[in-house]
Amino acid sequence: MTVTTYQVEGMTCGHCVSSVTEEVGKVAGVSGVEVDLAAGAVTVTSQEPLDRTVIDAAVVEAGYELAGKVELLPQAGGSCCGSGGCH
């Protein structure tokens, strides 16, 4: 199992979290998605390592961008809130 954390730019509210979770969750091979709004991060769990470009495309589809470095963690076995920052 592979757990990878990506930094995401532009998320500002719960709708942002839902959009990223939904789009990344559709990627073939993804078995889990956890979005941390405060940290601006999405953690993706998969059986095999995934190509960053596939995750990037899903995040872009949600209306955001990947940024910064990717952290691999070894494992055993439209505006919705009025903030103007939503896409």
Side-chain angles (χ1 to χ4, degrees):
M1 186 179 322
T2 301
V3 178
T4 309
T5 300
Y6 303 89
Q7 290 302 120
V8 179
E9 293 182 345
M11 295 189 302
T12 60
C13 68
H15 180 267
C16 302
V17 170
S18 295
S19 294
V20 171
T21 301
E22 180 180 344
E23 292 301 329
V24 174
K26 292 178 185 177
V27 173
V30 170
S31 58
V33 179
E34 187 174 322
V35 179
D36 183 336
L37 180 61
V42 59
T43 299
V44 180
T45 304
S46 58
Q47 290 295 16
E48 302 292 329
L50 300 171
D51 188 325
R52 178 186 168 101
T53 59
V54 175
I55 300 302
D56 185 47
V59 170
V60 167
E61 182 67 27
Y64 309 96
E65 293 182 24
L66 289 186
K69 68 178 188 172
V70 174
E71 179 182 343
L72 296 174
L73 303 175
Q75 295 291 312
S79 182
C80 58
C81 59
S83 72
C86 297
H87 300 271

